[in-house]
Protein backbone atom coordinates (compact mmCIF):
# COMPACT_ATOMS: atom_id res chain seq x y z
CA UNK A 1 0.00 0.00 0.00
CA UNK A 2 1.44 3.36 -1.03
CA UNK A 3 1.81 6.08 1.55
CA UNK A 4 -0.25 9.20 1.03
CA UNK A 5 2.12 12.10 1.70
CA UNK A 6 -0.69 14.26 3.07
CA UNK A 7 -2.68 11.70 5.08
CA UNK A 8 -2.72 12.21 8.87
CA UNK A 9 -4.41 9.55 10.98
CA UNK A 10 -5.84 10.80 14.28
CA UNK A 11 -6.28 8.24 17.07
CA UNK A 12 -8.01 9.73 20.11
CA UNK A 13 -9.13 8.49 23.50
CA UNK A 14 -12.03 10.99 23.46
CA UNK A 15 -14.07 12.08 20.45
CA UNK A 16 -17.70 13.11 19.79
CA UNK A 17 -19.96 10.19 18.86
CA UNK A 18 -23.55 8.98 19.15
CA UNK A 19 -22.72 7.98 22.72
CA UNK A 20 -21.57 11.46 23.78
CA UNK A 21 -21.73 14.35 21.33
CA UNK A 22 -19.67 16.65 23.61
CA UNK A 23 -16.77 14.35 24.52
CA UNK A 24 -13.47 15.49 23.00
CA UNK A 25 -14.83 18.33 20.89
CA UNK A 26 -11.42 19.97 21.22
CA UNK A 27 -9.87 17.00 19.39
CA UNK A 28 -12.39 17.39 16.60
CA UNK A 29 -11.39 21.05 16.29
CA UNK A 30 -7.73 19.99 15.99
CA UNK A 31 -8.76 17.61 13.22
CA UNK A 32 -10.64 20.41 11.46
CA UNK A 33 -7.59 22.65 11.80
CA UNK A 34 -5.39 19.94 10.28
CA UNK A 35 -7.81 19.55 7.37
CA UNK A 36 -7.78 23.32 6.91
CA UNK A 37 -3.99 23.13 6.67
CA UNK A 38 -4.38 21.01 3.53
CA UNK A 39 -4.04 17.51 4.98
CA UNK A 40 -6.31 14.54 4.41
CA UNK A 41 -7.42 13.81 7.97
CA UNK A 42 -8.97 10.56 9.19
CA UNK A 43 -10.04 10.00 12.79
CA UNK A 44 -10.13 6.45 14.17
CA UNK A 45 -12.11 6.09 17.39
CA UNK A 46 -13.60 3.30 19.51
CA UNK A 47 -16.64 4.46 21.46
CA UNK A 48 -17.94 2.63 24.52
CA UNK A 49 -21.70 2.24 24.40
CA UNK A 50 -24.59 0.54 26.14
CA UNK A 51 -26.72 0.94 23.04
CA UNK A 52 -28.78 -1.90 21.62
CA UNK A 53 -26.96 -4.98 20.34
CA UNK A 54 -27.21 -4.06 16.67
CA UNK A 55 -24.97 -1.03 17.23
CA UNK A 56 -22.26 -2.91 19.10
CA UNK A 57 -19.09 -3.38 17.04
CA UNK A 58 -20.77 -1.47 14.24
CA UNK A 59 -18.44 0.86 12.34
CA UNK A 60 -19.71 4.17 10.96
CA UNK A 61 -17.85 6.35 8.45
CA UNK A 62 -18.80 10.00 8.20
CA UNK A 63 -17.09 12.94 6.51
CA UNK A 64 -17.66 16.23 8.32
CA UNK A 65 -15.96 19.52 7.40
CA UNK A 66 -13.14 17.78 5.58
CA UNK A 67 -12.52 15.20 8.33
CA UNK A 68 -13.36 11.52 7.80
CA UNK A 69 -14.48 9.95 11.10
CA UNK A 70 -14.32 6.17 11.48
CA UNK A 71 -16.06 5.18 14.72
CA UNK A 72 -16.68 1.65 16.01
CA UNK A 73 -19.01 1.11 18.98
CA UNK A 74 -18.19 -1.58 21.53
CA UNK A 75 -20.11 -3.00 24.47
CA UNK A 76 -19.28 -2.18 28.07
CA UNK A 77 -22.15 -4.19 29.50
CA UNK A 78 -20.58 -7.65 29.75
CA UNK A 79 -17.39 -9.47 30.74
CA UNK A 80 -16.04 -9.25 27.18
CA UNK A 81 -15.86 -5.45 27.30
CA UNK A 82 -12.05 -5.23 27.06
CA UNK A 83 -11.95 -7.72 24.18
CA UNK A 84 -14.71 -5.78 22.43
CA UNK A 85 -12.70 -2.61 22.90
CA UNK A 86 -9.61 -4.13 21.28
CA UNK A 87 -11.70 -5.38 18.36
CA UNK A 88 -13.31 -1.96 17.99
CA UNK A 89 -9.95 -0.19 17.86
CA UNK A 90 -8.67 -2.67 15.29
CA UNK A 91 -11.77 -2.21 13.13
CA UNK A 92 -11.62 1.58 13.26
CA UNK A 93 -7.90 1.84 12.48
CA UNK A 94 -7.90 -0.83 9.77
CA UNK A 95 -11.03 0.63 8.14
CA UNK A 96 -9.54 4.12 8.20
CA UNK A 97 -6.39 2.93 6.44
CA UNK A 98 -8.33 0.76 3.99
CA UNK A 99 -10.57 3.57 2.76
CA UNK A 100 -8.14 6.51 3.08
CA UNK A 101 -4.80 4.88 2.34
CA UNK A 102 -1.61 4.43 4.28
CA UNK A 103 -0.96 7.49 6.49
CA UNK A 104 2.20 9.55 6.44
CA UNK A 105 1.80 10.47 10.12
CA UNK A 106 -0.18 9.31 13.16
CA UNK A 107 -1.39 11.97 15.60
CA UNK A 108 -2.46 10.51 18.96
CA UNK A 109 -4.57 12.51 21.40
CA UNK A 110 -4.66 11.72 25.14
CA UNK A 111 -2.26 9.19 26.58
CA UNK A 112 -1.62 6.33 27.24
CA UNK A 113 -3.64 3.66 25.46
CA UNK A 114 -4.06 5.42 22.12
CA UNK A 115 -0.44 6.53 22.23
CA UNK A 116 0.57 2.88 22.36
CA UNK A 117 -1.76 2.12 19.43
CA UNK A 118 -0.23 5.02 17.50
CA UNK A 119 3.23 3.63 18.20
CA UNK A 120 2.22 0.22 16.85
CA UNK A 121 0.69 1.71 13.68
CA UNK A 122 3.77 3.88 13.17
CA UNK A 123 6.07 0.86 13.51
CA UNK A 124 3.87 -1.16 11.14
CA UNK A 125 4.07 1.46 8.37
CA UNK A 126 7.51 2.86 9.22
CA UNK A 127 6.27 6.37 9.79
CA UNK A 128 6.42 8.87 12.65
CA UNK A 129 3.79 9.55 15.27
CA UNK A 130 3.23 12.53 17.54
CA UNK A 131 1.28 12.84 20.77
CA UNK A 132 -0.91 15.68 22.07
CA UNK A 133 -1.80 15.47 25.75
CA UNK A 134 -4.92 17.11 27.19
CA UNK A 135 -5.54 15.09 30.38
CA UNK A 136 -5.47 16.58 33.90
CA UNK A 137 -4.51 13.31 35.62
CA UNK A 138 -0.96 14.54 36.32
CA UNK A 139 -1.98 17.40 38.61
CA UNK A 140 -1.43 16.78 42.32
CA UNK A 141 -5.05 17.81 42.97
CA UNK A 142 -6.19 14.96 40.73
CA UNK A 143 -3.30 12.50 40.44
CA UNK A 144 -4.95 9.57 38.75
CA UNK A 145 -1.65 8.98 36.93
CA UNK A 146 -0.41 6.04 38.96
CA UNK A 147 0.52 2.40 38.56
CA UNK A 148 3.83 0.84 37.54
CA UNK A 149 2.78 -0.46 34.13
CA UNK A 150 0.91 2.72 33.23
CA UNK A 151 4.05 4.76 33.87
CA UNK A 152 6.27 2.32 31.98
CA UNK A 153 4.04 2.39 28.88
CA UNK A 154 3.59 6.17 29.06
CA UNK A 155 7.34 6.70 29.13
CA UNK A 156 7.75 4.23 26.26
CA UNK A 157 5.20 6.08 24.11
CA UNK A 158 6.75 9.48 24.85
CA UNK A 159 10.29 8.26 24.27
CA UNK A 160 9.46 6.95 20.79
CA UNK A 161 7.24 9.84 19.68
CA UNK A 162 8.67 12.22 17.09
CA UNK A 163 7.10 15.09 19.04
CA UNK A 164 5.03 15.57 22.19
CA UNK A 165 2.73 18.57 22.37
CA UNK A 166 0.72 19.78 25.35
CA UNK A 167 -2.09 22.32 25.56
CA UNK A 168 -0.51 24.47 28.28
CA UNK A 169 2.74 25.13 30.10
CA UNK A 170 1.07 24.22 33.38
CA UNK A 171 0.20 20.77 32.05
CA UNK A 172 3.80 20.26 30.93
CA UNK A 173 5.09 21.19 34.39
CA UNK A 174 2.69 18.70 36.00
CA UNK A 175 3.85 15.95 33.64
CA UNK A 176 7.48 16.80 34.33
CA UNK A 177 6.84 16.55 38.07
CA UNK A 178 5.53 13.03 37.44
CA UNK A 179 8.86 12.03 35.90
CA UNK A 180 7.98 12.38 32.21
CA UNK A 181 10.88 13.82 30.24
CA UNK A 182 10.41 15.44 26.83
CA UNK A 183 10.89 18.73 25.00
CA UNK A 184 7.39 20.20 24.87
CA UNK A 185 5.66 22.04 22.09
CA UNK A 186 2.68 24.10 23.27
CA UNK A 187 -0.25 23.39 20.97
CA UNK A 188 -3.39 25.10 22.31
CA UNK A 189 -6.85 23.75 21.77
CA UNK A 190 -8.57 25.26 18.75
CA UNK A 191 -11.58 27.55 19.15
CA UNK A 192 -14.29 27.59 16.50
CA UNK A 193 -14.62 31.36 16.17
CA UNK A 194 -17.35 30.95 13.55
CA UNK A 195 -19.55 29.41 16.26
CA UNK A 196 -18.35 31.58 19.14
CA UNK A 197 -18.66 35.19 18.06
CA UNK A 198 -20.02 38.51 19.28
CA UNK A 199 -23.76 39.19 19.17
CA UNK A 200 -25.94 42.06 20.35
CA UNK A 201 -27.33 41.23 23.79
CA UNK A 202 -30.75 41.90 25.20
CA UNK A 203 -30.92 44.86 27.53
CA UNK A 204 -32.45 42.72 30.28
CA UNK A 205 -30.87 41.32 33.41
CA UNK A 206 -27.13 40.80 33.69
CA UNK A 207 -26.34 37.12 33.16
CA UNK A 208 -23.52 35.08 34.67
CA UNK A 209 -22.93 31.70 33.06
CA UNK A 210 -21.08 28.56 34.09
CA UNK A 211 -20.41 25.85 31.49
CA UNK A 212 -18.94 22.76 33.06
CA UNK A 213 -19.18 19.10 33.87
CA UNK A 214 -20.81 18.77 37.29
CA UNK A 215 -17.95 17.20 39.23
CA UNK A 216 -17.39 19.02 42.51
CA UNK A 217 -13.88 17.74 43.19
CA UNK A 218 -12.42 19.57 40.22
CA UNK A 219 -15.00 22.25 39.40
CA UNK A 220 -15.74 23.72 42.86
CA UNK A 221 -19.33 24.58 41.94
CA UNK A 222 -20.62 25.12 45.49
CA UNK A 223 -18.56 28.32 45.53
CA UNK A 224 -20.62 29.67 42.64
CA UNK A 225 -23.85 28.82 44.45
CA UNK A 226 -22.65 30.43 47.71
CA UNK A 227 -21.48 33.65 46.03
CA UNK A 228 -24.66 33.90 43.97
CA UNK A 229 -26.79 33.45 47.09
CA UNK A 230 -24.89 36.15 48.97
CA UNK A 231 -25.31 38.65 46.14
CA UNK A 232 -28.98 37.78 45.63
CA UNK A 233 -29.61 38.27 49.33
CA UNK A 234 -27.91 41.67 49.06
CA UNK A 235 -30.57 42.66 46.52
CA UNK A 236 -28.42 42.60 43.39
CA UNK A 237 -30.37 41.75 40.24
CA UNK A 238 -28.83 39.20 37.87
CA UNK A 239 -29.30 35.69 36.47
CA UNK A 240 -27.12 32.61 36.86
CA UNK A 241 -27.18 29.98 34.12
CA UNK A 242 -25.39 26.66 34.73
CA UNK A 243 -24.92 24.54 31.61
CA UNK A 244 -23.84 20.93 31.71
CA UNK A 245 -24.32 17.57 33.37
CA UNK A 246 -22.34 15.15 35.46
CA UNK A 247 -22.20 12.90 38.49
CA UNK A 248 -22.75 15.74 40.98
CA UNK A 249 -25.48 17.64 39.14
CA UNK A 250 -28.33 16.49 41.39
CA UNK A 251 -26.26 17.27 44.46
CA UNK A 252 -25.55 20.82 43.22
CA UNK A 253 -29.22 21.35 42.33
CA UNK A 254 -30.23 20.27 45.84
CA UNK A 255 -27.50 22.44 47.37
CA UNK A 256 -28.88 25.48 45.51
CA UNK A 257 -32.47 24.63 46.44
CA UNK A 258 -31.60 24.16 50.13
CA UNK A 259 -29.97 27.59 50.17
CA UNK A 260 -32.86 29.13 48.20
CA UNK A 261 -30.49 30.32 45.45
CA UNK A 262 -32.08 31.05 42.08
CA UNK A 263 -30.28 29.16 39.31
CA UNK A 264 -31.29 28.09 35.82
CA UNK A 265 -29.89 24.58 35.28
CA UNK A 266 -30.08 23.78 31.55
CA UNK A 267 -28.60 20.28 31.57
CA UNK A 268 -26.63 19.07 28.56
CA UNK A 269 -26.92 21.22 25.45
CA UNK A 270 -25.65 20.72 21.93
CA UNK A 271 -22.51 22.67 20.95
CA UNK A 272 -24.64 25.15 18.98
CA UNK A 273 -27.07 25.60 21.87
CA UNK A 274 -24.18 26.06 24.30
CA UNK A 275 -22.69 28.73 22.04
CA UNK A 276 -26.00 30.61 21.97
CA UNK A 277 -26.23 30.58 25.77
CA UNK A 278 -22.63 31.80 26.11
CA UNK A 279 -22.90 34.55 23.51
CA UNK A 280 -26.08 35.81 25.20
CA UNK A 281 -24.38 36.10 28.61
CA UNK A 282 -22.41 38.92 30.18
CA UNK A 283 -19.72 37.06 32.12
CA UNK A 284 -18.36 33.51 32.36
CA UNK A 285 -17.59 31.98 35.76
CA UNK A 286 -14.84 29.35 35.92
CA UNK A 287 -14.04 28.11 39.44
CA UNK A 288 -12.06 24.95 38.71
CA UNK A 289 -9.40 23.67 41.06
CA UNK A 290 -7.38 22.58 38.04
CA UNK A 291 -7.64 22.70 34.24
CA UNK A 292 -5.27 21.72 31.46
CA UNK A 293 -6.52 24.46 29.13
CA UNK A 294 -9.86 25.95 30.21
CA UNK A 295 -11.37 25.97 26.72
CA UNK A 296 -14.66 27.52 27.82
CA UNK A 297 -12.78 30.68 28.86
CA UNK A 298 -11.39 31.07 25.35
CA UNK A 299 -14.83 30.42 23.87
CA UNK A 300 -16.21 33.19 26.09
CA UNK A 301 -13.50 35.64 25.04
CA UNK A 302 -14.11 34.77 21.37
CA UNK A 303 -17.75 35.67 22.02
CA UNK A 304 -16.75 39.02 23.52
CA UNK A 305 -17.70 37.86 27.02
CA UNK A 306 -15.35 38.71 29.94
CA UNK A 307 -14.20 35.96 32.28
CA UNK A 308 -13.90 35.50 36.03
CA UNK A 309 -11.59 32.53 36.61
CA UNK A 310 -9.39 30.82 39.11
CA UNK A 311 -5.68 30.73 38.32
CA UNK A 312 -5.69 27.50 36.29
CA UNK A 313 -3.94 26.32 33.11
CA UNK A 314 -2.31 29.30 31.37
CA UNK A 315 -5.34 31.58 31.72
CA UNK A 316 -3.35 34.15 33.69
CA UNK A 317 -1.48 34.92 30.46
CA UNK A 318 -4.74 35.60 28.61
CA UNK A 319 -7.25 36.98 31.14
CA UNK A 320 -5.89 40.38 32.13
CA UNK A 321 -7.55 43.55 33.44
CA UNK A 322 -8.89 44.24 29.95
CA UNK A 323 -10.56 40.84 29.57
CA UNK A 324 -11.70 39.77 33.03
CA UNK A 325 -10.58 38.85 36.51
CA UNK A 326 -8.25 36.12 37.75
CA UNK A 327 -9.20 35.34 41.35
CA UNK A 328 -6.46 36.01 43.91
CA UNK A 329 -7.53 32.82 45.68
CA UNK A 330 -10.04 30.06 45.03
CA UNK A 331 -12.50 31.08 47.72
CA UNK A 332 -16.09 32.21 48.04
CA UNK A 333 -15.24 35.75 49.32
CA UNK A 334 -12.84 36.27 46.38
CA UNK A 335 -15.46 35.13 43.86
CA UNK A 336 -18.20 37.23 45.49
CA UNK A 337 -16.07 40.37 45.26
CA UNK A 338 -15.19 39.66 41.62
CA UNK A 339 -18.83 39.09 40.69
CA UNK A 340 -19.85 42.32 42.47
CA UNK A 341 -17.16 44.25 40.59
CA UNK A 342 -18.21 42.70 37.28
CA UNK A 343 -21.83 43.74 37.82
CA UNK A 344 -20.83 47.39 38.19
CA UNK A 345 -17.90 47.56 35.73
CA UNK A 346 -18.74 45.16 32.90
CA UNK A 347 -19.22 47.99 30.40
CA UNK A 348 -15.47 48.70 30.45
CA UNK A 349 -14.68 45.48 28.59
CA UNK A 350 -14.34 45.85 24.82
CA UNK A 351 -15.78 42.72 23.13
CA UNK A 352 -13.61 43.19 20.04
CA UNK A 353 -10.45 43.31 22.16
CA UNK A 354 -11.45 40.09 23.92
CA UNK A 355 -12.09 38.32 20.64
CA UNK A 356 -8.91 39.52 18.90
CA UNK A 357 -6.56 37.69 21.29
CA UNK A 358 -8.32 34.37 20.67
CA UNK A 359 -8.27 34.77 16.90
CA UNK A 360 -4.53 35.45 16.99
CA UNK A 361 -3.56 32.58 19.28
CA UNK A 362 -6.01 29.68 19.19
CA UNK A 363 -8.60 30.06 16.45
CA UNK A 364 -8.88 27.14 14.04
CA UNK A 365 -6.98 29.17 11.43
CA UNK A 366 -4.18 29.93 13.90
CA UNK A 367 -3.87 26.29 15.01
CA UNK A 368 -4.04 25.24 11.35
CA UNK A 369 -0.87 27.23 10.66
CA UNK A 370 0.85 25.71 13.69
CA UNK A 371 -0.11 22.17 12.70
CA UNK A 372 1.10 22.73 9.15
CA UNK A 373 4.54 23.64 10.51
CA UNK A 374 4.57 20.66 12.90
CA UNK A 375 3.47 18.14 10.28
CA UNK A 376 5.91 19.40 7.65
CA UNK A 377 8.76 19.06 10.14
CA UNK A 378 7.79 15.59 11.43
CA UNK A 379 6.83 14.08 8.09
CA UNK A 380 9.97 15.50 6.51
CA UNK A 381 12.05 13.70 9.11
Amino acid sequence: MRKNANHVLFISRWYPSDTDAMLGLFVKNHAKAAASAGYKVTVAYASATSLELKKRLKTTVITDEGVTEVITYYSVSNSFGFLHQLIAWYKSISTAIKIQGRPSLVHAHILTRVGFLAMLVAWRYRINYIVTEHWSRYFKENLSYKGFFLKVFTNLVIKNAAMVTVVSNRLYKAMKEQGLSFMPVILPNAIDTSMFHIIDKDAGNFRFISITCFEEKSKNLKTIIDSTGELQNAGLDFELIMVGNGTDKQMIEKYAADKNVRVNFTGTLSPAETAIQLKSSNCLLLTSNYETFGIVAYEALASGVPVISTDVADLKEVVDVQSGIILSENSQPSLTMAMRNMLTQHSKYDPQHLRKRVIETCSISSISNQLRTIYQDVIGN
Side-chain angles (χ1 to χ4, degrees):
M1 183 182 296
R2 295 185 62 185
K3 179 171 66 175
N4 186 321
N6 288 315
H7 182 201
V8 178
L9 175 65
F10 274 49
I11 306 177
S12 180
R13 181 183 177 94
W14 305 324
Y15 200 78
S17 69
D18 289 348
T19 304
D20 188 341
M22 300 294 288
L23 182 66
L25 275 172
F26 44 83
V27 179
K28 183 165 185 170
N29 281 343
H30 266 186
K32 288 161 61 176
S36 179
Y39 289 87
K40 182 165 77 171
V41 179
T42 313
V43 178
Y45 179 57
S47 177
T49 182
S50 57
L51 298 174
E52 62 270 22
L53 184 62
K54 66 181 180 180
K55 285 196 174 182
R56 296 174 187 171
L57 293 178
K58 175 183 177 182
T59 301
T60 63
V61 180
I62 300 172
T63 300
D64 182 25
E65 297 187 62
V67 177
T68 299
E69 302 168 346
V70 183
I71 301 175
T72 302
Y73 295 87
Y74 67 91
S75 171
V76 293
S77 59
N78 58 49
S79 57
F80 296 101
F82 182 69
L83 177 60
H84 281 192
Q85 181 180 170
L86 291 178
I87 295 172
W89 277 115
Y90 175 78
K91 288 187 67 176
S92 287
I93 294 171
S94 60
T95 301
I97 295 174
K98 181 179 180 180
I99 63 176
Q100 294 288 83
R102 177 183 172 187
S104 54
L105 175 69
V106 185
H107 191 164
H109 285 260
I110 304 111
L111 293 164
T112 297
R113 186 179 309 155
V114 300
F116 187 70
L117 291 173
M119 184 173 67
L120 294 179
V121 174
W123 284 352
R124 166 67 178 82
Y125 292 104
R126 298 182 181 180
I127 57 177
N128 283 327
Y129 71 93
I130 66 174
V131 172
T132 296
E133 184 60 300
H134 305 259
W135 204 347
S136 63
R137 62 180 177 172
Y138 311 95
F139 291 123
K140 63 179 183 297
E141 299 91 342
N142 183 357
L143 206 56
S144 57
Y145 177 68
K146 52 189 176 182
F148 174 78
F149 289 107
L150 173 65
K151 292 184 177 182
V152 167
F153 278 101
T154 303
N155 275 284
L156 179 66
V157 169
I158 285 178
K159 180 181 178 181
N160 286 280
M163 183 181 294
V164 178
T165 78
V166 291
V167 294
S168 66
N169 279 297
R170 186 162 288 183
L171 175 57
Y172 166 64
K173 291 176 182 177
M175 295 174 71
K176 185 178 179 181
E177 288 173 0
Q178 295 305 317
L180 295 171
S181 178
F182 59 95
M183 292 296 293
V185 172
I186 305 301
L187 178 65
N189 283 324
I191 308 303
D192 187 349
T193 52
S194 66
M195 178 178 291
F196 295 95
H197 55 82
I198 299 169
I199 64 170
D200 293 329
K201 296 179 176 61
D202 294 335
N205 283 351
F206 188 97
R207 175 192 279 189
F208 288 108
I209 188 169
S210 166
I211 303 174
T212 185
C213 65
F214 280 73
E215 196 267 321
E216 182 63 15
K217 172 188 171 184
S218 61
K219 303 304 181 182
N220 200 28
L221 300 175
K222 287 183 179 178
T223 300
I224 296 178
I225 303 299
D226 290 339
S227 293
T228 298
E230 182 175 336
L231 294 174
Q232 287 178 350
N233 291 335
L236 296 178
D237 189 18
F238 63 92
E239 297 177 66
L240 172 63
I241 310 294
M242 299 190 77
V243 179
N245 215 326
T247 55
D248 291 331
K249 182 170 182 287
Q250 288 186 341
M251 181 271 287
I252 294 297
E253 288 177 332
K254 185 177 185 302
Y255 187 80
D258 289 346
K259 290 182 170 287
N260 200 29
V261 178
R262 300 184 300 278
V263 185
N264 179 3
F265 294 96
T266 69
T268 302
L269 300 177
S270 70
E273 291 169 334
T274 301
I276 290 172
Q277 290 287 347
L278 181 55
K279 290 181 289 191
S280 303
S281 299
N282 302 97
C283 177
L284 172 79
L285 302 178
L286 181 62
T287 56
S288 300
N289 293 317
Y290 51 86
E291 293 279 353
T292 59
F293 186 69
I295 192 167
V296 69
Y298 293 85
E299 291 169 344
L301 296 175
S303 304
V305 176
V307 173
I308 295 175
S309 175
T310 47
D311 182 11
V312 292
D314 294 344
L315 289 181
K316 205 168 187 177
E317 300 176 9
V318 179
V319 180
D320 56 19
V321 294
Q322 294 181 304
S323 54
I325 301 170
I326 294 292
L327 300 178
S328 57
E329 58 183 24
N330 193 355
S331 68
Q332 188 256 322
S334 181
L335 177 61
T336 303
M337 181 179 295
M339 291 173 68
R340 188 186 293 271
N341 289 340
M342 185 63 68
L343 283 166
T344 58
Q345 301 176 22
H346 68 274
S347 60
K348 76 176 186 180
Y349 297 102
D350 178 7
Q352 295 295 341
H353 172 78
L354 273 60
R355 179 173 172 80
K356 180 180 177 183
R357 181 70 183 274
V358 176
I359 290 175
E360 291 174 346
T361 59
C362 52
S363 62
I364 287 180
S365 61
S366 173
I367 301 304
S368 175
N369 291 332
Q370 192 170 349
L371 283 172
R372 183 183 293 109
T373 300
I374 289 172
Y375 291 167
Q376 286 175 346
D377 181 48
V378 174
I379 294 172
N381 290 324

